[in-house]
Amino acid sequence: MVAENPRLVIFAHPMDIQLNDKEKEIIDKVAQAAQELGLESYLVGGFVRDKILGRRTKDADIVCVGDGIKLAKAVAQKFRPIPEVNYFKNFGTAHIHSSDFDIEFVGARKESYQRHSRKPEVEPGTLEDDQNRRDFTINALAISLNKNDFGKLLDPFNGVQHLEEKIIITPLEPDRTFSDDPLRMMRAIRFATQLNFKIADEVFESVKRNAERIKIISQERITDELNKIILANKPSIGFDLLYKSGLLKIIFPKMVDLAGAEFIEGKGHKDNFYHTLQVLDNISENTDDLWLRWAAILHDIAKPATKKFEEGHGWTFHGHEVVGGRMVPKIFAQLKLPLNEKMKQVKKLVELHLRPISLTKENITDSAIRRLLFDAGEDFEALMMLCEADITSKNKYKVRRYLENFQLVREHCREVEEKDQIRNWQPPIDGTRIMELFNLKPSREVGLLKGALKDAILDGEVANNYDAAYEFLLSKAKEIGVVK
Ligand code: ATP
Ligand code: MG
């Protein structure tokens, strides 16, 4: 038999909330522990917001009037096995993380910020103080877990109404909210993107006024919010708001450089900022992979740097894929994104993003296909996905034709791959062996020999075995003068 989901009936309010069994258990244990300690406790923040919206919740946010760490420890004692409690004494916050649930605890507090620092001065406060310091009305909702009014919704700023109206508003005056903690500007845009809500006009005006203050926030925290925007269903909403608020210019100026179209002799080019956003939305329909989404954001990043107007021809962006690829590590470093194989994958996708287009022409040789398969390797599928997302024509006949062309490229690649198995292929003699054979140190010559061998085999000029490869390398080595 399937048990019905437990519900939390909201006290004196025409609404209730669906909980799963685990959430019901957590709430009961928190309520019990708080009562035993004589503390008031409330569900609050993202948990309440998302439950009312019927969204999936990741963790339960609990606020108590008193010592949040003490409450967390008492709650942990009620679980078997007893989960670990992590806490930050300075902030009065604690976190229980177990295999199947997460609970965040915080003691209710009053807060005021120093103008040039992110370090809040925290002092204990009432529930009301705590709701006042929260970023948005929809995040300031609380539900009582106390015996006398269990389930009562405390909504001092009309958060429920704003959830219905799909609007983001700050509880206090927005200039004060954003000046106290400028990260909230990013959060406003992040929630607008994730929830598809509108930021109230006066609130957005305040973001514009306070945009410069984002500079006091660490890059890691900014990038964290940026990544959440990128992972939303329709990330363009967030980038458009970041752009219009002036925040993007500060946090990611290279992307703003893509905006606008220049005209010479009546000829314009497309606005590469909005084109990029369209590509990002397109790819986001097919993948939740953050790095493929980053590849979409960066695929044309070097267009401004390579832009030229050629007389009688029009606008060109020659080499933007190569220059763009080179820009990727620097942008990742600036944004404090990881400089690992994910960065390399994004770089590779940016570098290769025009290659499949060149293979949509007629009479493409197998060797051109082999080269793409070799260069893309295991990122072949991702590359094709990026190319398909890159079709942003408004003409649906053109879109269909381009998609069909890519379908043909895919088929051609599949045939060649079946025959030659290139994607995970390595030449029969590698760089290390080349150095041994010709007594070379790591040098330009080694790269040259390696590249020449790879090309010769992919082009079908040299058989794919050790002896043939050795013979080829020997003659090539003589040609470039590394052996006599
Ligand atoms: P999500 O978990 O989906 O990111 P959330 O609303 O739960 O959304 P958290 O960062 O987990 O966001 O924070 C929990 C709650 O803490 C928020 O709902 C909000 O009430 C409060 N909060 C978080 N960050 C801030 C901030 N910078 N300023 C004010 N209140 C904040
Ligand atoms: Mg949360």
Side-chain angles (χ1 to χ4, degrees):
M1 214 177 78
V2 184
E4 208 182 308
N5 271 346
R7 301 172 102 84
L8 176 62
V9 177
I10 294 189
F11 185 73
H13 198 283
M15 179 168 55
D16 62 5
I17 278 177
Q18 297 249 3
L19 302 171
N20 63 36
D21 291 334
K22 193 80 219 175
E23 291 164 342
K24 176 90 174 28
E25 185 191 345
I26 290 171
I27 287 172
D28 287 345
K29 289 191 153 100
V30 171
Q32 239 180 56
Q35 204 187 334
E36 282 159 18
L37 291 171
L39 298 175
E40 288 172 29
S41 67
Y42 302 86
L43 279 168
V44 72
F47 184 85
V48 177
R49 178 197 69 222
D50 289 340
K51 277 291 172 196
I52 293 175
L53 288 172
R55 292 176 89 224
R56 249 191 39 213
T57 48
K58 306 185 299 282
D59 44 20
D61 300 307
I62 304 288
V63 62
C64 74
V65 181
D67 188 343
I69 298 171
K70 202 162 145 195
L71 177 61
K73 287 180 178 165
V75 171
Q77 290 299 319
K78 295 192 178 289
F79 284 96
R80 291 296 173 271
I82 297 173
E84 205 184 327
V85 180
N86 299 305
Y87 56 90
F88 299 93
K89 237 192 159 82
N90 292 345
F91 288 92
T93 59
H95 181 203
I96 297 182
H97 174 74
S98 137
S99 59
D100 57 352
F101 64 90
D102 277 281
I103 320 176
E104 301 272 356
F105 294 85
V106 59
R109 56 198 168 166
K110 256 209 272 259
E111 221 168 54
S112 68
Y113 288 81
Q114 302 298 322
R115 184 139 178 97
H116 291 291
S117 113
R118 240 298 298 161
K119 287 221 182 73
E121 304 220 313
V122 185
E123 38 177 310
T126 61
L127 174 71
E128 210 182 320
D129 291 329
D130 198 86
Q131 285 174 301
N132 279 327
R133 70 159 192 94
R134 291 190 177 255
D135 47 5
F136 307 110
T137 60
I138 59 169
N139 285 347
L141 293 156
I143 295 175
S144 165
L145 301 180
N146 307 315
K147 201 163 184 187
N148 57 337
D149 59 358
F150 188 88
K152 182 172 179 188
L153 183 72
L154 297 131
D155 180 11
F157 310 110
N158 294 325
V160 171
Q161 187 190 328
H162 299 149
L163 283 176
E164 278 161 9
E165 292 170 356
K166 295 174 170 284
I167 195 152
I168 291 171
I169 302 187
T170 54
L172 307 178
E173 206 264 309
D175 282 341
R176 155 108 196 263
T177 301
F178 293 137
S179 173
D180 278 354
D181 178 2
L183 186 71
R184 292 170 181 159
M185 300 187 284
M186 295 289 300
R187 286 174 59 89
I189 292 174
R190 191 252 288 188
F191 289 119
T193 313
Q194 287 178 325
L195 304 174
N196 201 8
F197 278 25
K198 182 179 157 54
I199 299 176
D201 291 339
E202 72 276 15
V203 175
F204 195 64
E205 287 306 312
S206 172
V207 174
K208 286 187 192 165
R209 275 196 299 278
N210 289 283
E212 283 285 324
R213 296 254 314 144
I214 198 69
K215 289 179 179 163
I216 67 167
I217 300 291
S218 76
Q219 188 60 52
E220 286 83 353
R221 299 181 76 217
I222 293 173
T223 297
D224 230 36
E225 291 298 328
L226 191 61
N227 281 340
K228 287 183 184 175
I229 290 170
I230 294 169
L231 285 172
N233 285 340
K234 199 172 172 214
S236 64
I237 298 174
F239 277 102
D240 193 34
L241 291 170
L242 286 171
Y243 176 54
K244 289 180 174 149
S245 64
L247 283 168
L248 197 61
K249 178 94 193 145
I250 302 167
I251 65 170
F252 189 5
K254 282 271 178 289
M255 194 164 175
V256 174
D257 293 344
L258 289 168
E262 206 175 317
F263 282 80
I264 292 184
E265 295 170 8
K267 277 191 182 171
H269 58 79
K270 65 184 167 211
D271 181 318
N272 287 304
F273 179 69
Y274 285 102
H275 164 70
T276 294
L277 295 194
Q278 180 69 56
V279 178
L280 174 59
D281 281 351
N282 287 349
I283 208 164
S284 301
E285 284 183 15
N286 293 316
T287 178
D288 289 330
D289 186 308
L290 177 63
W291 308 108
L292 295 198
R293 292 180 178 205
W294 265 110
I297 294 167
L298 296 176
H299 79 286
D300 278 347
I301 199 71
K303 276 199 169 172
T306 56
K307 181 164 103 171
K308 280 205 180 70
F309 186 82
E310 289 176 9
E311 209 64 47
H313 189 69
W315 293 101
T316 64
F317 305 91
H318 289 308
H320 75 271
E321 73 284 12
V322 181
V323 179
R326 263 188 248 132
M327 286 165 72
V328 169
K330 226 171 130 186
I331 290 172
F332 266 53
Q334 278 159 356
L335 294 175
K336 296 263 163 59
L337 288 164
L339 298 171
N340 57 13
E341 73 287 351
K342 296 301 180 190
M343 181 275 283
K344 289 195 188 131
Q345 183 193 22
V346 173
K347 179 172 190 283
K348 180 158 127 187
L349 291 170
V350 172
E351 277 167 357
L352 295 179
H353 83 270
L354 296 179
R355 289 275 291 280
I357 298 172
S358 69
L359 299 181
T360 58
K361 315 260 149 58
E362 269 168 41
N363 303 323
I364 295 299
T365 59
D366 281 7
S367 85
I369 294 281
R370 279 195 292 266
R371 277 161 187 266
L372 177 68
L373 286 167
F374 179 80
D375 290 338
E378 58 188 19
D379 294 317
F380 176 76
E381 258 315 308
L383 178 64
M384 293 310 293
M385 209 189 268
L386 175 61
C387 289
E388 283 158 0
D390 199 7
I391 304 172
T392 58
S393 167
K394 297 245 181 323
N395 177 334
K396 62 179 189 234
Y397 298 103
K398 272 193 186 168
V399 171
R400 201 167 71 205
R401 199 175 73 235
Y402 295 159
L403 283 173
E404 281 167 4
N405 286 343
F406 280 136
Q407 218 37 54
L408 294 176
V409 173
R410 278 178 191 271
E411 264 161 48
H412 198 169
C413 286
R414 191 165 42 240
E415 283 163 23
V416 171
E417 176 64 20
E418 239 164 57
K419 192 156 52 94
D420 300 338
Q421 270 138 41
I422 299 296
R423 278 168 70 171
N424 295 312
W425 173 78
Q426 286 303 326
I429 299 182
D430 67 6
T432 317
R433 187 79 188 119
I434 290 173
M435 290 193 277
E436 286 166 9
L437 285 171
F438 303 112
N439 202 12
L440 292 170
K441 294 211 162 47
S443 58
R444 208 178 64 85
E445 282 75 17
V446 180
L448 218 124
L449 291 169
K450 210 175 123 182
L453 176 63
K454 178 203 86 182
D455 288 345
I457 297 179
L458 290 176
D459 288 346
E461 287 161 11
V462 170
N464 181 20
N465 62 55
Y466 188 93
D467 290 345
Y470 178 72
E471 213 164 294
F472 171 81
L473 280 174
L474 193 60
S475 74
K476 195 80 195 167
K478 280 181 185 153
E479 195 184 307
I480 63 171
V482 297
V483 290
K484 278 171 229 98

